[in-house]
């Protein structure tokens, strides 16, 4: 990049922070605006496994891999696949082998936050609207009354991105899948049998249009997701009793995960952008992560957001023509995300139990 554009990153999630880190390393000035009031305003959800080509690649480029390794749980890469009758179909025997270490999302976000100067991040700045101006700049309007103009705006503001409207009229649609999150804190001490069943990593159990995921987080905290597919109402709330009723045909060994979990149930209605979502060239605005390619949660979203961020930073540093470089980067991002979204869709949306189990086996077998 010959002269640095005035860069705004909207959203201090994983993707936005990774981009901030890369720009900071290269002495490119930027500001990052975040809706949350502070790092601890809301729980960040469960664990992530970082993949070599995407999440890990990004952390290496950002000089953060060693810090990541101090937090990463290589020992929690196990997985077990069951059917709803409690039959074990696939098991990764050695949970410590493999190259997809786990980290809690909150830990990863804090690691990234600590890697950029405090004065580059504006908490409590909720973007209300982004407005294109005749000179190619974009004016950002925040809920707190601030208005500020930038030469380049990066929408890293997640599923319900406000920046997206500048490049695309497409809105996320409800996928029909709702995950219901429950927690089992201190599972090793309180429920050793449940803890052993989940093992060192992830348990997945599949039935017709129903799935139970259970994952081991740091400090023996187990998160359980009871997934209902083909729902019509994203707003429908469920209690633990409702879920036990929905899953009443399941084996008792799996239902125990719901029985012992704490309330409340936290619903995650899964919304998606169309597979292959893209936009025409629009200099001065781009998107990354969920803002660009929201897809069902099949283990790629955070990884892709991190990879998008380092690739975008690379394009912005292009000495010749950063606008063309950003466009070239977007084309690669579109293709990468379309493949991942198609795979995630197949994994999460197939109705046939046998077909779904086969897909899972292929996917998990490739990882194991
Ligand atoms: C239940 C669940 C499980 C998942 N599991 C995995 C997994 O195992 N592996 C994986 O790779 N991915 C997983 N994902 C997907 C992953 O969480 C996302 O793909 C990833 O967080 C996207 O990162 P991002 O930076 O694009 O967006 P986000 O992480 O959503 O960050 C967006 C940021 O923008 C801020 N923001 C939003 N609107 C505004 C606004 N108007 N103004 C200012 N700031 C704003 C938000 O507060 C947030 O901090 C899962 C998702 C869900 C729902």
């Amino acid at each position: 990049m010959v002269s640095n554009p005035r860069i705004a990153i909207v959203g201090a999630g994983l993707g936005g922070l990774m981009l901030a880190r890369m720009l900071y390393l290269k002495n490119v000035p930027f500001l990052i605006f975040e809706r949350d009031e502070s790092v601890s305003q809301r729980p960040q959800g469960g664990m992530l496994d970082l993949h070599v080509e995407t999440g890990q690649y990004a952390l290496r480029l950002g000089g953060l891999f060693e810090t990541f390794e101090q937090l990463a749980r290589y020992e929690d890469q196990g997985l077990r696949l069951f059917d709803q009758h409690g039959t074990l179909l696939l098991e990764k025997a050695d949970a410590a082998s493999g190259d997809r270490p786990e980290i809690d999302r909150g830990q990863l976000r804090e690691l990234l936050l600590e890697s950029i100067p405090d004065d580059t991040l504006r908490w409590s700045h909720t973007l209300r609207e982004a407005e294109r101006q005749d000179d190619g700049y974009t004016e950002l309007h925040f809920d707190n009354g601030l208005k500020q103009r930038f030469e380049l705006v990066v929408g890293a503001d997640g599923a319900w991105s406000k920046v997206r409207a500048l490049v695309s009229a497409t809105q996320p649609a409800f996928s029909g899948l709702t995950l219901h999150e429950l927690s089992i804190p201190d599972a090793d001490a309180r429920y050793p049998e449940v803890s052993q069943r989940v093992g060192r990593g992830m348990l997945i159990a599949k039935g017709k249009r129903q799935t139970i995921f259970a994952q081991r987080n740091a400090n023996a905290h187990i998160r359980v997701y009871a997934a209902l597919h083909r729902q019509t109402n994203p707003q429908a709330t469920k209690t633990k009793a409702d879920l036990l009723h929905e899953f009443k045909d399941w084996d008792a060994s799996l239902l125990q995960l719901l029985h012992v979990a704490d309330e409340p149930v936290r619903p995650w209605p899964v919304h998606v952008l169309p597979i292959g979502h893209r936009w025409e060239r629009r200099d001065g605005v781009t998107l990354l992560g969920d803002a660009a390619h929201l897809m069902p949660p099949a283990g790629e979203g955070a990884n892709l957001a991190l990879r998008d961020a380092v690739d975008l930073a690379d394009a912005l540093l292009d000495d010749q023509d950063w606008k063309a470089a950003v466009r070239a980067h977007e084309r690669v991002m579109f293709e990468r995300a379309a493949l991942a979204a198609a795979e995630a869709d197949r994994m999460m949306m197939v109705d046939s139990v046998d077909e779904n189990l086969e897909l899972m086996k292929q996917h998990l077998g490739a990882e194991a």
Side-chain angles (χ1 to χ4, degrees):
M1 185 186 290
V2 178
S3 61
N4 296 329
R6 284 170 46 76
I7 299 176
I9 304 168
V10 183
L14 300 178
L17 288 170
M18 189 75 234
L19 175 61
R21 168 67 180 172
M22 298 307 293
L23 296 181
Y24 168 63
L25 282 183
K26 300 291 178 189
N27 294 316
V28 178
F30 65 90
L31 281 177
I32 178 163
F33 297 96
E34 167 58 42
R35 174 180 61 186
D36 291 350
E37 286 167 17
S38 71
V39 61
S40 54
Q41 183 180 325
R42 61 189 163 91
Q44 294 294 311
M47 69 178 188
L48 303 165
D49 57 358
L50 291 196
H51 305 171
V52 174
E53 304 290 327
T54 47
Q56 290 184 39
Y57 172 86
L59 291 178
R60 280 184 200 281
L61 288 195
L64 299 170
F65 195 71
E66 281 181 14
T67 321
F68 162 73
E69 281 205 303
Q70 288 161 17
L71 300 166
R73 301 195 307 282
Y74 280 84
E75 69 279 14
D76 282 349
Q77 298 179 77
L79 57 91
R80 293 175 179 171
L81 177 63
F82 293 86
D83 65 16
Q84 72 175 81
H85 310 295
T87 312
L88 181 63
L89 303 171
L90 180 83
E91 177 169 27
K92 184 178 163 200
D94 180 3
S97 73
D99 55 8
R100 292 185 165 190
E102 307 290 343
I103 185 166
D104 286 13
R105 187 192 305 251
Q107 290 178 315
L108 182 59
R109 191 174 186 229
E110 278 185 39
L111 179 162
L112 289 164
L113 276 168
E114 282 165 12
S115 78
I116 57 169
D118 288 348
D119 62 1
T120 57
L121 175 48
R122 303 284 186 268
W123 296 104
S124 303
H125 279 68
T126 302
L127 181 71
R128 194 179 56 230
E129 192 189 356
E131 191 178 74
R132 288 289 283 180
Q133 303 199 309
D134 293 344
D135 60 3
Y137 271 57
T138 300
E139 188 167 72
L140 300 182
H141 300 208
F142 295 93
D143 270 2
N144 59 12
L146 179 77
K147 288 184 186 176
Q148 205 165 342
R149 280 162 39 88
F150 292 90
E151 189 179 357
L152 173 67
V153 171
V154 180
D157 47 346
W160 301 102
S161 169
K162 286 280 169 39
V163 179
R164 191 192 295 123
L166 293 182
V167 295
S168 164
T170 311
Q171 285 288 319
F174 179 51
S175 66
L177 171 68
T178 304
L179 308 182
H180 302 87
E181 183 181 320
L182 302 100
S183 280
I184 313 177
D186 200 13
D188 290 354
R190 293 170 65 215
Y191 303 107
E193 198 187 328
V194 169
S195 171
Q196 273 182 7
R197 180 163 296 278
V198 173
R200 303 291 328 184
M202 171 88 101
L203 172 155
I204 303 175
K206 279 272 171 193
K208 188 163 174 61
R209 298 184 181 178
Q210 295 178 327
T211 310
I212 292 179
F213 303 91
Q215 53 170 234
R216 173 178 291 270
N217 290 214
N219 307 316
H221 186 113
I222 291 179
R223 275 197 167 78
V224 180
Y225 295 93
L228 297 173
H229 304 244
R230 308 285 170 202
Q231 301 284 287
T232 49
N233 179 6
Q235 308 308 333
T237 52
K238 302 264 182 225
T239 62
K240 208 166 92 168
D242 294 334
L243 291 174
L244 282 163
H245 181 70
E246 296 273 3
F247 286 80
K248 62 182 182 308
D249 299 332
W250 283 49
D251 189 73
S253 61
L254 296 165
L255 288 185
Q256 205 187 359
L257 288 161
L258 303 180
H259 273 296
V260 304
D262 289 354
E263 303 245 25
V265 176
R266 186 174 178 208
W268 287 93
V270 172
H271 289 76
V272 292
L273 286 167
I275 296 170
H277 176 247
R278 60 192 63 210
W279 55 89
E280 296 303 318
R281 176 181 183 140
R282 174 56 71 99
D283 289 340
V285 184
T286 191
L287 309 176
L288 59 75
D290 281 1
H293 45 65
L294 182 65
M295 63 186 73
E300 294 291 346
N303 280 283
L304 292 175
L306 293 168
R307 175 73 202 231
D308 293 350
V310 295
D311 287 359
L312 174 58
D314 213 24
L316 290 172
L317 290 160
D318 190 284
D319 283 342
Q320 304 300 318
D321 182 350
W322 65 269
K323 291 180 179 170
V326 168
R327 187 61 193 151
H329 145 74
E330 287 175 342
R331 282 194 291 268
V332 173
M333 176 178 74
F334 294 153
E335 293 309 317
R336 182 169 63 217
L339 289 174
E343 174 74 2
D345 185 70
R346 266 164 24 108
M347 300 255 304
M348 292 300 200
M349 302 302 171
V350 169
D351 272 341
S352 148
V353 181
D354 289 344
E355 199 183 331
N356 203 308
L357 284 172
E358 200 43 49
L359 275 171
M360 279 275 167
K361 278 202 232 174
Q362 284 170 18
H363 187 78
L364 300 177
E367 279 181 19

